[in-house]
Amino acid sequence: MALKAITANRLRDGAVVWLGQKGDWVERIDAAATYDEAGAAAALAQAQQDEARNLVVAIYTLDVEILDGAPSPLRTKERIRALGPSVRADVGKQADPIARAAA
Amino acid sequence: MPLIENGRAVADRWVSLADDAALPAEGGVIVSFARWQAERDALLARSAPLGVRLPSTVSAGAVAPDLERFALVVVEFPKFRDGRGFTTARELRERWGYTGEIRAVGNIIADQYPLLVRCGVSTVEVPDGTDVETWARTLNTVTIAYQASVGEDEPLALLRRRVAAA
Amino acid sequence: MTYVHPRNHAGIYHYDELDRQFVRERVEQFRFQVERRLKGELSEDEFKPLRLMNGLYLQLHAYMLRIAIPYGTLASHQLRGLSEIARRYDKGYGHFTTRQNLQLNWIKLEDTPDILGKLAEIDMHAIQTSGNCVRNVTTDQFAGAAPDEVVDPRVYAEILRQWTTIHPEFTFLPRKFKIAISASGEADRAAVRVHDIGLVVKKNAEGETGFEVYVGGGLGRTPFIAPKTRGWLPEEDLIAYIEAVLRVYNQAGRRDNAFKARIKILVHETKLDKFIALVEDEFARIRGPKFRLDSAIVEAIRSHFAPPPFEELPPASDLAVRRRADDAAFDAWVRTNVRDHKAPGHASVTISLKPAGGVPGDISSEQMDAVADLADRHSFGEIRVTHEQNLVLAHVKQDDLYALWQALSAVGLATANAGLIGDIIACPGLDYCSLANARSIPIAQALSERFADPAKQAEIGDLKIKISGCINACGHHHVGAIGILGVDKKGEEFYQITVGGNAELDASIGDILGPALTADEAVDAVERIVDRYLERRQPGERFLATLARLGQAPFKETAYAAD
């Protein structure tokens, strides 16, 4: 069973975010918390309160693996969300200096 | 539930009757379109005012022959994204010449209010706790229209016109 | 004589105070809606259609704002304004779409009311570029310039733009609704038969203007070529007839299944004869003073699109002829990207946004500014956006072509491939779009590089490749001579190839060639299909004709040939 992370878009600016270790929303997938199947369901339910609080929209879980010690999405779509468009390296999260947010 | 007319909360003098509720001896009642069809004679035997509630699947034409019997036609919006009621209201006015009250009920958001009014709706039923001020504001935010509203029957002279302020 | 700056002749609809008041009020309406959303007074479910009707999507990386470019016509100051908005609120670039609109990909919700305010300052908006309402009315990018034009279609596109803007009855339709207008006597450059309503402007024997009407075309999951519902609709009845179609659709269109909610499904399920009868019945009833399109209105709108003051010139420019003889690259560009103009000595120029290896339809703010300057210098300050995701300077003096070409070359906008195989339509695909199943842009990039050689492109001739990243078909793959559809197979990107599509008046939907391929396989397969065509075609025969003559088999065989 694949490892899971939880993602959403922040309401006020649409930025792609993942649920972090402290239940906060982080802008880089490196800092995302990961869960097993059961843990993901519980964390998702908890995270959905942030949708009700109008902080984020479109919350869902995604499959990840750990690469070089950090979560990495399995599917192309989620990789593109985590990095930015594959056709322009100068925009999106991939263009920012690699600042691994403190977990 | 609160009722809004011309951007203000107004009292509702109508009783909306469930299909299995007994018909009261007196007072204005609103019945479903199904009950109207089933109990037409009994309903017409009363002297009190009568209203009919149209589900979104029933168009204005279905009640057109009987419109003079209704002091109120209720148009249901099952979801706010279901826009059939706009056509129903407009047809009641423009095609069938209905002059009584048209009431929109169901899932409606404040931002639809000006459009409903322009289609000939008189009153909107809103959930308890609704901020009527929001509805009043949405009604008067956009004052220019590019089409005639219901009630503006003069020949088209310009595409644009000002919307009558409530 | 008063000096009039050339840009004031731009064939756009010039707002007056009422139009400006309207867009300003609309901005304030949206500002209030955003406020209520951020405070939680509107749920996402309630807010979504409201933001969509102001062009705002939530996409893969951020919000995306789709700005309306009515019938694809812009004045230079507007393009500069868009460039400035892209710089200030986005990442300094934008993407022109097959609906002649501009998309910005990195927008913040909280900035959007201010962005719409900036648009209002340049007489623009993003109204109804999404949502289940009537969308931007599109038309021929050569309107007002093409020698084969019957009547300027922008006049009717503008009338319909106004009439459908916040239409009180038709703002919550079962699904989106797209109208396209063509006014060429010979060609269809607006793909009218793949629209919900397609109008072809005509003149009858008495010299009166009217329309041929097609209803129920569309691409997407269930593609249909629109059938004709009326051979002749008098000009004065345009609004009444459109009202009638929309009313029948609003009442009877399916609302139980979003995939079956477009008017094409209603026309198909109702059967054409019955559908026409319903529309005619409604039309006959509402046809009258309230909906009559008075000729005075038409003339008032037409005055906005008056021809600019063309210089009287000889039919051909000696200078341009000499330059073509001297400069092969210029000559190649003229052959592909320059077309005849109704005014002698003038020409219409297509600015290709399809450089080899580039992102189809993308343009930087710097390029927007450069095009705006060149439009001021050479084309009465007017720019067109095409549904093929290119730009057009419609009214260029042939004497100026060489200077224009040099200036375009300097900013990377002189690719000589308009209408050729490198001029690929592609939706943003999975690189930007949350609906996509697969990426479109990398396929377009690989193919445009594969066919980059201008001589090879010229040899291949008219062969349109169109790529969509999902079945919604924003990249029009169904009507590509070669269409490519991205599909998802267990999280992997695959591509299905269709052949034989065509979006012109004899429109056709392409047929699927066989099983879906990986990206690399699909690119190779397209190249082999093209090579097979070159081997087997008869002199002067275009791809669609060769395909019709030989059938699919030889192309399928080569597409799936093992290496």
Side-chain angles (χ1 to χ4, degrees):
Chain A
M1 200 54 73
L3 210 54
K4 308 273 182 194
I6 293 172
T7 186
N9 290 79
R10 201 157 51 204
L11 174 66
R12 63 180 173 78
D13 61 2
V16 177
V17 288
W18 294 267
L19 197 60
Q21 310 285 353
K22 299 172 191 157
D24 51 343
W25 293 97
V26 297
E27 290 190 36
R28 303 197 71 94
I29 195 168
D30 316 47
T34 56
Y35 311 88
D36 61 18
E37 194 91 4
L44 183 67
Q46 182 71 25
Q48 270 158 352
Q49 291 182 8
D50 285 343
E51 199 158 12
R53 289 165 56 212
N54 305 302
L55 296 176
V56 292
V57 288
I59 303 182
Y60 59 92
T61 60
L62 69 148
D63 294 341
V64 296
E65 60 186 335
I66 301 295
L67 283 183
D68 298 330
S72 174
L74 296 185
R75 295 175 72 99
T76 309
K77 176 176 184 170
E78 293 303 330
R79 281 199 294 274
I80 291 171
R81 285 180 82 241
L83 293 170
S86 70
V87 295
R88 275 194 75 145
D90 61 326
V91 295
K93 294 177 192 291
Q94 62 199 349
D96 294 335
I98 304 300
R100 183 173 288 197
Chain B
M1 284 195 279
L3 199 61
I4 295 182
E5 183 173 23
N6 296 327
R8 287 183 290 274
V10 294
D12 184 0
R13 54 194 183 82
W14 289 87
V15 173
S16 195
L17 213 56
D19 280 354
D20 54 2
L23 200 57
E26 293 176 6
V29 292
I30 304 167
V31 298
S32 71
F33 178 67
R35 187 162 185 176
W36 159 249
Q37 288 180 303
E39 300 176 26
R40 181 188 173 95
D41 291 344
L43 289 166
L44 289 180
R46 301 170 81 246
S47 58
L50 185 62
V52 66
R53 191 169 62 241
L54 302 183
S56 61
T57 50
V58 173
S59 61
V63 287
D66 298 312
L67 277 177
E68 76 272 17
R69 306 186 191 280
F70 303 120
L72 170 69
V73 177
V74 177
V75 178
E76 289 182 0
F77 287 76
K79 287 187 296 234
F80 77 95
R81 289 185 302 273
D82 183 340
R84 282 176 284 194
F86 293 97
T87 288
T88 306
R90 190 155 170 205
E91 285 214 311
L92 283 168
R93 296 283 187 229
E94 290 190 345
R95 180 171 176 188
W96 305 111
Y98 181 66
T99 56
E101 178 180 344
I102 298 178
R103 179 179 297 187
V105 306
N107 181 212
I108 299 163
I109 59 175
D111 310 88
Q112 294 177 305
Y113 187 31
L115 306 178
L116 289 166
V117 169
R118 291 188 56 208
C119 286
V121 166
S122 341
T123 54
V124 184
E125 190 182 83
V126 295
D128 289 321
T130 296
D131 180 4
V132 178
E133 186 46 43
T134 298
W135 286 65
R137 193 165 152 189
T138 61
L139 189 57
N140 296 311
T141 308
V142 176
T143 63
I144 311 288
Y146 287 89
Q147 324 74 13
S149 302
V150 159
E152 297 177 330
D153 291 327
E154 77 276 20
L156 189 69
L158 275 172
L159 290 173
R160 297 158 319 184
R161 54 199 73 223
R162 290 187 186 274
V163 179
Chain C
M1 219 174 90
T2 332
Y3 172 75
V4 179
H5 191 282
R7 81 169 70 92
N8 293 328
H9 294 291
I12 59 165
Y13 171 77
H14 293 268
Y15 279 20
D16 65 12
E17 231 359 87
L18 277 185
D19 296 302
R20 295 208 172 96
Q21 185 184 342
F22 169 79
V23 291
R24 283 195 304 260
E25 289 174 348
R26 175 71 170 184
V27 171
E28 290 319 303
Q29 183 185 51
F30 190 59
R31 193 181 297 282
F32 186 42
Q33 288 163 347
V34 171
E35 250 172 54
R36 286 155 61 215
R37 175 68 190 104
L38 291 173
K39 281 194 283 185
E41 291 171 22
L42 281 169
S43 69
E44 186 61 18
D45 183 51
E46 292 168 333
F47 180 61
K48 188 176 171 187
L50 304 177
R51 68 165 156 75
L52 290 177
M53 278 188 267
N54 285 288
L56 196 65
Y57 285 73
L58 182 58
Q59 283 292 21
L60 223 45
H61 310 293
Y63 290 93
M64 177 271 277
L65 183 65
R66 183 182 292 155
I67 296 165
I69 300 176
Y71 33 91
T73 307
L74 278 169
S76 54
H77 76 277
Q78 294 176 319
L79 186 55
R80 279 190 203 95
L82 294 174
S83 146
E84 180 53 33
I85 288 170
R87 255 194 212 101
R88 177 158 169 196
Y89 296 100
D90 204 271
K91 294 185 187 290
Y93 70 105
H95 174 78
F96 286 109
T97 74
T98 56
R99 300 275 311 144
Q100 301 179 303
N101 291 317
L102 180 71
Q103 294 182 173
L104 301 178
N105 297 301
W106 304 90
I107 294 297
K108 296 179 171 135
L109 173 61
E110 55 199 1
D111 285 343
T112 310
D114 289 341
I115 299 172
L116 297 181
K118 295 277 176 209
L119 286 175
E121 287 174 14
I122 51 171
D123 296 352
M124 295 189 79
H125 59 68
I127 296 169
Q128 288 172 216
T129 55
S130 178
N132 294 335
C133 47
V134 182
R135 304 285 189 89
N136 187 21
V137 178
T138 53
T139 192
D140 187 346
Q141 66 267 29
F142 299 114
D148 61 357
E149 180 169 284
V150 178
V151 180
D152 193 330
R154 290 171 298 178
V155 176
Y156 304 99
E158 173 58 24
I159 287 168
L160 289 177
R161 180 191 76 82
Q162 295 195 19
W163 186 258
T164 57
T165 295
I166 320 193
H167 193 297
E169 187 179 345
F170 305 129
T171 296
F172 293 88
L173 294 168
R175 202 68 183 82
K176 59 188 168 184
F177 201 92
K178 301 174 179 176
I179 303 175
I181 310 179
S182 167
S184 155
E186 292 157 21
D188 172 11
R189 289 180 290 266
V192 300
R193 295 194 68 190
V194 293
H195 283 77
D196 295 281
I197 294 180
L199 299 168
V200 179
V201 190
K202 303 232 150 171
K203 290 248 189 207
N204 67 8
E206 286 73 47
E208 297 159 334
T209 305
F211 306 89
E212 195 169 83
V213 188
Y214 297 87
V215 181
L219 300 174
R221 195 169 298 259
T222 326
F224 280 104
I225 302 297
K228 193 189 290 186
T229 60
R230 226 169 199 273
W232 178 255
L233 178 71
E235 178 188 86
E236 65 168 31
D237 288 327
L238 176 64
I239 284 171
Y241 192 83
I242 302 279
E243 280 281 307
V245 172
L246 284 168
R247 180 169 285 181
V248 167
Y249 174 52
N250 193 41
Q251 275 183 323
R254 286 182 64 172
R255 291 177 187 267
D256 59 330
N257 180 342
F259 297 132
K260 297 185 173 177
R262 293 287 290 272
I263 196 172
K264 62 191 176 186
I265 305 292
L266 177 66
V267 173
H268 179 70
E269 290 183 351
T270 312
K271 304 288 179 253
L272 182 61
D273 289 352
K274 171 122 187 276
F275 176 80
I276 290 174
L278 287 171
V279 170
E280 287 293 327
D281 186 44
E282 186 68 31
F283 173 55
R285 186 165 46 244
I286 64 176
R287 187 182 197 183
K290 183 163 181 171
F291 296 103
R292 181 172 300 129
L293 182 58
D294 199 277
S295 60
I297 293 179
V298 179
E299 292 318 311
I301 300 287
R302 197 187 310 282
S303 68
H304 291 264
F305 303 100
F310 297 119
E311 275 177 49
E312 281 189 37
L313 297 167
S317 148
D318 293 340
L319 180 63
V321 169
R322 273 202 314 278
R323 293 294 192 191
R324 289 183 69 173
D326 294 347
D327 190 328
F330 173 62
D331 181 59
W333 178 78
V334 171
R335 264 188 277 124
T336 52
N337 293 42
V338 176
R339 49 178 289 135
D340 290 347
H341 194 284
K342 64 182 183 185
H346 290 75
S348 295
V349 170
T350 297
I351 300 173
S352 170
L353 300 181
K354 318 286 177 66
V359 178
D362 270 20
I363 185 169
S364 68
S365 285
E366 290 70 27
Q367 289 175 322
M368 289 188 225
D369 291 339
V371 171
D373 290 347
L374 290 171
D376 277 343
R377 205 172 310 151
H378 298 298
S379 195
F380 301 97
E382 183 190 307
I383 303 100
R384 313 286 178 84
V385 182
T386 82
H387 84 268
E388 281 152 339
Q389 304 176 282
N390 293 316
L391 298 178
V392 161
L393 297 182
H395 313 297
V396 180
K397 278 192 286 186
Q398 291 176 21
D399 285 343
D400 292 353
L401 284 171
Y402 191 71
L404 173 60
W405 174 74
Q406 287 181 308
L408 288 171
S409 301
V411 288
L413 290 174
T415 309
N417 65 359
L420 298 181
I421 196 166
D423 187 2
I424 297 171
I425 289 183
C427 71
L430 193 55
D431 281 300
Y432 291 97
C433 176
S434 59
L435 296 175
N437 287 321
R439 284 172 287 174
S440 308
I441 298 167
I443 307 293
Q445 290 175 314
L447 285 170
S448 64
E449 276 171 348
R450 196 69 67 95
F451 295 107
D453 175 12
K456 174 107 183 195
Q457 289 201 54
E459 185 194 358
I460 297 165
D462 174 13
L463 199 168
K464 295 202 166 70
I465 297 180
K466 305 190 181 190
I467 308 171
S468 306
C470 80
I471 194 61
N472 290 310
C474 297
H476 295 185
H477 67 277
H478 295 298
V479 289
I482 297 176
I484 300 173
L485 167 65
V487 294
D488 173 305
K489 283 190 183 175
K490 296 181 182 150
E492 299 293 322
E493 297 165 290
F494 278 82
Y495 298 89
Q496 198 172 66
I497 296 177
T498 55
V499 290
N502 167 21
E504 301 199 354
L505 264 186
D506 55 345
S508 57
I509 302 294
D511 296 311
I512 294 171
L513 205 55
L517 302 167
T518 65
D520 290 344
E521 290 169 349
V523 171
D524 289 343
V526 169
E527 187 175 26
R528 286 201 297 267
I529 291 168
V530 173
D531 286 342
R532 177 63 49 100
Y533 156 65
L534 294 177
E535 285 157 31
R536 304 285 292 272
R537 71 176 172 189
Q538 292 175 347
E541 189 179 52
R542 69 175 192 160
F543 175 78
L544 289 172
T546 307
L547 177 68
R549 181 168 55 80
L550 298 177
Q552 235 195 35
F555 298 102
K556 180 168 182 168
E557 187 250 331
T558 190
Y560 291 93
D563 287 322

